């Protein structure tokens, strides 16, 4: 390895990319994807405890509904600010700090004594979650071998989030149903605090991103990490091929500023950041509708008892998880562009068809078509992240992911309110508008999306 001026010639990154998937990668996947599990848990616990909190704190319906947007606003700010900090301070420092913030916000939620304190604590938890996604997804991208990166990041984001919502529903049900009302909901939030604590401790043992270290000129530290990973892989009996290839990467050993990553993405990657914003906005719109509008459709339109809505919704979301697994596998087979295009556009078309036929079908058929819609919608929501992380260089990957996450949360904030208003005019408008939003995302991928399947991150971001 040689260092020349502001560029490093190294074989470390080709050595990382040629590694077979191993138990070491699984360990990193579980610990980093635990942040996505926690996002689903924290968001779902907030929703599951709303009715209890509303009664105990004597809230108006507007105050109650506002708690979810408050959480998402915190997530938006955290994604933008803390995502950029991951490019300055490193992936490891940020994915540990964000876990501490989430733990603190969850603990404050559990001990809240009034509405302002609860709203503030939810915003703090959301702030940590937003930064968590930018730093943890960046790290997961940078440790995953190029041939497995689509499946690794796609399932780490999508499947683990949904697993978190499942656990939250289970915990919230028993905490509220079998414990005194006055503190059962607090136990649910304390569970989030405990989970965050476990993930925090587990992450202390993870290494810093090799790509980040090389970017900062910390060559020996990067070499030691790659040597250690290769030793772990060899212990499993897998043989590693020799690597003669090298890659030239720029270094930045000076003191970086928070604006540097934004400067890179807005000057050199205008089309890519526009694509990432559009894709995020168009997926959070129907994604968060699943937790806010669809349960209302069950109870208000089809007169399903509220106690049964969670079980029925789990069928729909289960179809979504299956969709994530299927399409995440295909990301590394047929490519990013076709998978993202298909999932967005087909989800949109199914939504429009559902809106057209909804008043002429019974509830069972409605659920079947809705499940088909979310088979594609959940995949669309999860599988844009591998591409987004690949589109930006190491020096701005956290910033690119963070701004995309931040802007995308506007869809989650605006969408449910728009759909709630449209619900007064009929289900046709709810599903047709949702379908159009999804199709716009698919068209954006067709027009702007680069194909980065199995490319090294350096080649994918044009930063070699």
């Amino acid at each position: 390895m040689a260092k020349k001026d502001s560029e490093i010639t190294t074989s470390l990154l080709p050595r990382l990319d040629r590694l077979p998937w191993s138990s070491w990668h699984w360990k990193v996947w579980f610990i980093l994807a635990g942040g996505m599990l926690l996002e689903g848990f924290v968001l779902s616990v907030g929703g599951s405890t709303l009715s209890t909190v509303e009664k105990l704190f004597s809230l108006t319906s507007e105050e109650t509904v506002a708690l979810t947007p408050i959480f998402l606003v915190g997530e938006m700010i955290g994604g933008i600010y803390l995502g950029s900090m991951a490019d300055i301070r490193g992936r490891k420092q940020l994915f540990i700090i964000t876990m501490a913030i989430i733990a603190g916000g969850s603990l404050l939620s559990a001990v809240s004594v009034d509405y302002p304190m609860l709203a503030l604590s939810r915003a703090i938890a959301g702030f940590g979650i937003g930064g968590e996604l930018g730093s943890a997804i960046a790290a997961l991208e940078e440790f995953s071998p190029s041939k497995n990166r689509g499946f690794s990041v796609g399932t780490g984001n999508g499947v683990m989030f949904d697993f978190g919502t499942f656990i939250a529903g289970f915990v919230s049900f028993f905490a509220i149903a079998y414990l005194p009302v006055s503190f059962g909901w607090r136990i649910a939030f304390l569970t989030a605090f405990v989970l965050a604590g476990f993930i925090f401790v587990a992450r202390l043992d993870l290494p810093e991103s090799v790509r980040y270290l090389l970017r900062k000129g910390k060559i020996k530290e990067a070499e030691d990490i790659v040597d250690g990973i290769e030793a772990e892989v060899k212990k499993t009996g897998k043989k590693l091929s020799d690597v003669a290839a090298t890659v030239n990467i720029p270094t930045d050993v000076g003191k970086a500023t928070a604006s540097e990553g934004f400067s890179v993405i807005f000057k050199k990657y205008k089309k890519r950041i526009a694509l990432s914003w559009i894709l995020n906005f168009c997926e959070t719109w129907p994604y968060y509708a699943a937790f806010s509008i669809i349960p209302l459709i069950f109870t208000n339109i089809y007169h399903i008892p509220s106690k049964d809505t969670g079980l029925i919704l789990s069928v729909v979301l289960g179809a979504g998880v299956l969709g994530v697994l299927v399409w995440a596998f295909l990301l590394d087979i047929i490519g990013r562009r076709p998978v993202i295009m298909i999932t967005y556009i087909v989800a949109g078309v199914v939504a429009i068809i559902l809106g057209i036929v909804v008043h002429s079908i019974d509830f069972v058929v409605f659920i079947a078509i809705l499940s088909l819609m979310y088979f594609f919608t959940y995949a669309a929501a999860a599988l844009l992240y591998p591409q987004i992380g690949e589109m930006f260089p190491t020096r701005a990957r956290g910033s690119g992911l963070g701004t995309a996450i931040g802007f995308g949360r506007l869809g989650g904030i605006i969408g449910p309110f728009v759909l709630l208003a449209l619900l007064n005019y009929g289900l046709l408008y709810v599903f047709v508008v949702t379908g159009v939003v999804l199709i716009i995302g698919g068209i954006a991928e067709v027009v702007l999306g680069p194909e980065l399947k199995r490319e090294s991150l350096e080649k994918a971001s044009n930063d070699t």
Side-chain angles (χ1 to χ4, degrees):
M1 185 180 303
K3 184 175 179 181
K4 183 180 179 181
D5 297 330
S6 59
E7 188 175 83
I8 289 177
T9 300
T10 179
S11 64
L12 290 180
L13 302 186
R15 283 166 62 187
L16 278 178
D17 277 341
R18 69 73 155 91
L19 290 173
W21 191 263
S22 66
S23 57
W24 185 89
H25 292 97
W26 276 120
K27 181 185 78 171
V28 172
W29 185 89
F30 275 111
I31 295 174
L32 289 177
M36 278 68 97
L37 179 149
L38 195 61
E39 181 196 11
F41 188 94
V42 172
L43 178 66
S44 185
V45 161
S48 301
T49 57
L50 278 181
S51 60
T52 301
V53 168
E54 181 180 20
K55 294 175 183 176
L56 289 175
F57 289 168
S58 301
L59 305 181
T60 65
S61 57
E62 291 78 10
E63 288 173 326
T64 305
V65 170
L67 284 172
T68 297
I70 286 170
F71 177 88
L72 293 176
V73 168
E75 195 171 350
M76 178 174 66
I77 298 171
I80 295 170
Y81 177 71
L82 296 177
S84 69
M85 294 305 295
D87 293 328
I88 299 170
R89 307 297 295 272
R91 313 322 190 202
K92 179 171 182 174
Q93 186 173 140
L94 263 294
F95 64 58
I96 289 175
I97 288 173
T98 56
M99 200 52 52
I101 295 172
I102 297 165
S106 299
L107 181 60
L108 286 173
S109 297
V111 300
S112 292
V113 295
D114 54 25
Y115 180 76
M117 184 177 179
L118 180 61
L120 177 62
S121 65
R122 293 295 288 159
I124 292 172
F127 180 77
I129 289 288
E132 157 67 22
L133 295 179
S135 58
I137 291 176
L140 190 56
E141 291 261 15
E142 291 166 359
F143 276 122
S144 297
S146 56
K147 61 181 175 292
N148 307 112
R149 194 166 55 238
F151 185 80
S152 169
V153 179
T155 55
N157 176 59
V159 174
M160 292 296 275
F161 178 95
D162 298 320
F163 187 48
T165 63
F166 170 79
I167 297 174
F170 182 81
V171 169
S172 298
F173 173 77
F174 281 95
I176 294 172
Y178 292 99
L179 295 174
V181 175
S182 59
F183 71 88
W185 66 278
R186 298 182 188 275
I187 298 299
F189 280 112
L190 280 176
T191 305
F193 169 74
V194 172
L195 278 174
F198 277 117
I199 297 170
F200 176 90
V201 172
R203 286 183 172 185
L204 294 175
D205 191 45
L206 291 185
E208 176 58 272
S209 163
V210 172
R211 286 176 162 87
Y212 173 80
L213 292 173
L214 290 176
R215 184 82 204 176
K216 296 300 180 182
K218 298 180 180 181
I219 301 170
K220 180 64 168 62
E221 190 175 342
E223 286 179 330
D224 290 343
I225 291 172
V226 174
D227 289 343
I229 297 171
E230 289 179 335
E232 287 292 322
V233 174
K234 287 178 181 177
K235 286 180 182 178
T236 66
K238 296 179 180 179
K239 294 183 178 181
L240 301 181
S241 59
D242 294 332
V243 175
T246 59
V247 62
N248 298 324
I249 60 171
T251 61
D252 172 24
V253 295
K255 187 175 181 180
T257 63
S259 62
E260 182 180 347
F262 299 132
S263 176
V264 170
I265 60 179
F266 287 115
K267 285 182 178 178
K268 187 177 178 181
Y269 298 92
K270 294 185 183 71
K271 289 184 178 179
R272 291 186 173 192
I273 197 62
L275 173 63
S276 69
W277 284 11
I278 294 169
L279 289 177
N280 265 272
F281 183 91
C282 293
E283 62 87 0
T284 56
W285 182 293
Y287 197 92
Y288 285 100
F291 299 98
S292 54
I293 301 303
I294 291 177
L296 293 179
I297 294 174
F298 290 171
T299 56
N300 296 346
I301 306 298
Y302 288 98
H303 307 295
I304 301 299
S306 58
K307 64 182 180 64
D308 297 331
T309 58
L311 180 62
I312 298 171
L313 187 60
S314 68
V315 174
V316 177
L317 302 186
V321 173
L322 178 62
V324 172
L325 290 170
V326 170
W327 290 102
F329 174 76
L330 292 174
L331 270 181
D332 295 317
I333 305 298
I334 66 175
R336 279 49 165 164
R337 291 188 75 234
V339 166
I340 293 173
M341 176 191 69
I342 290 169
T343 53
Y344 273 82
I345 292 178
V346 173
V349 170
V350 173
I352 292 172
I353 292 173
L354 180 57
I356 293 171
V357 304
V358 67
H359 293 296
S360 60
I361 57 178
D362 62 22
F363 185 67
V364 173
V365 177
F366 171 74
I367 291 299
I369 299 176
L370 189 66
S371 298
L372 178 63
M373 172 188 162
Y374 273 88
F375 175 84
F376 293 97
T377 300
Y378 258 46
L383 304 184
L384 74 164
Y385 288 104
Q387 184 188 62
I388 291 175
E390 293 165 341
M391 290 195 298
F392 304 107
T394 301
R395 55 187 164 148
R397 185 163 292 119
S399 301
L401 283 162
T403 57
I405 291 163
F407 186 84
R409 290 310 176 265
L410 289 176
I413 294 168
I414 296 170
F417 287 105
V418 173
L419 294 178
L420 185 61
L422 290 174
L423 190 59
N424 296 322
Y425 298 95
L427 292 178
L428 169 66
Y429 298 97
V430 171
F431 287 109
V432 168
V433 170
T434 297
V436 170
V437 169
L438 282 162
I439 290 171
I440 289 172
I443 293 172
E445 179 65 28
V446 172
V447 175
L448 300 172
E451 181 49 70
L452 307 174
K453 178 186 67 174
R454 299 194 173 202
E455 298 279 12
S456 72
L457 287 175
E458 289 64 45
K459 186 175 180 180
S461 63
N462 297 317
D463 200 42
T464 56

